[in-house]
Amino acid sequence: MPAINAITPEKLARLIGTPNCPTIIDVRTAEDFAADRRLIPGSIRRGHADVARWASEFHGRTVVVACQHGHALSEGVAALLRRADVSAEILEGGVAGWDTAGLPMVPEAMLPPRDAAGRTVWVTRARPKVDRIACPWLIRRFVDPDATFLFVSPSEVAGVAERFEAAAFDIEGDGIVWSHDGERCTFDVMIERLGLGGLPGLARLAPIVRGADTGRPDLVPEAAGLLAMSLGLSRMFADDLAQLDAGMLVYDALYRWCRDATHETHDWVSHQPKTARDKTSA
């Protein structure tokens, strides 16, 4: 019998990658996490023993709690969160059930260290166009919803990364993990190395970003449109973070089209009154 206040892995998977995704809190024990250091996309780690200390962080938010198997640990944490006015459900079957369902998981070893607030920090060149907006969108939606992004002078990216324990991306250099690889752009590399390649929506979005970012707008029909929007956004905003905020909506819309609407068309004529259709076909 399914638990009360539970969500299935399949239903949660449909929410991940969208702006309405609940906060996913991984409360596995240290021993369980050490045995499998992979994370449900977009999830954050918290300790079950000190839930009273961190519960207030999530006041007014919707939360899904995941332990190893979806039993007492997640049930107890979710109940305590509800007492703190947090709308909390548990993940049916826990992280093990998610994995058994064949759903993607992010290797924790690929992520940069967390800062004092528990956020990953990423740094890249200022004045973003395509990759440097697409990659932050991917990270915020599928890796760390609270990730911090630093846009700095190209010559200072490596130094900032070292000083602030940030992950440098979309720049070449010794030891840079997140950059172009042959004909693939950084967005492609992130999808693969973060274990997200099995998501159909991202698989369709990747060539659009690649074509727009690598000077091949004819790679897929949508690439030219993304390039035009990206260049337009870069002219509209002098503040890179404001541009990123605006770009999030662009990629949210593209992702939903890639995942849910690629076969849908808009037939203008069929929506016109009969007299208008007759004139159009005459």
Side-chain angles (χ1 to χ4, degrees), residues 16-147:
I16 290 174
T18 72
N20 298 322
C21 184
T23 301
I24 306 167
I25 304 179
D26 182 331
V27 296
R28 284 177 289 171
T29 65
E31 293 77 15
D32 284 337
F33 185 63
D36 184 355
R37 301 183 71 87
R38 295 178 301 156
L39 297 160
I40 293 172
S43 64
I44 59 176
R45 289 270 298 154
R46 290 291 188 274
H48 70 279
D50 56 351
V51 60
R53 180 181 60 79
W54 52 259
S56 61
E57 295 177 37
F58 304 98
H59 182 78
R61 292 162 71 173
T62 301
V63 162
V64 173
V65 182
C67 65
Q68 183 68 8
H69 295 289
H71 294 157
L73 204 57
S74 54
E75 286 262 18
V77 170
L80 287 166
L81 287 172
R82 289 193 292 272
R83 285 182 57 85
D85 294 324
V86 178
S87 178
E89 296 180 299
I90 71 164
L91 177 62
E92 191 175 296
V95 175
W98 177 276
D99 190 29
T100 299
L103 295 166
M105 297 187 72
V106 175
E108 190 257 354
M110 295 303 300
L111 305 182
R114 306 268 175 171
D115 67 7
R119 304 167 298 187
T120 56
V121 183
W122 307 74
V123 59
T124 190
R125 295 170 288 137
R127 306 309 304 135
K129 299 294 187 297
V130 181
D131 237 356
R132 284 166 286 150
I133 297 293
C135 291
W137 171 84
L138 183 75
I139 292 163
R140 286 250 175 98
R141 292 290 182 251
F142 293 92
V143 179
D144 177 8
D146 298 318

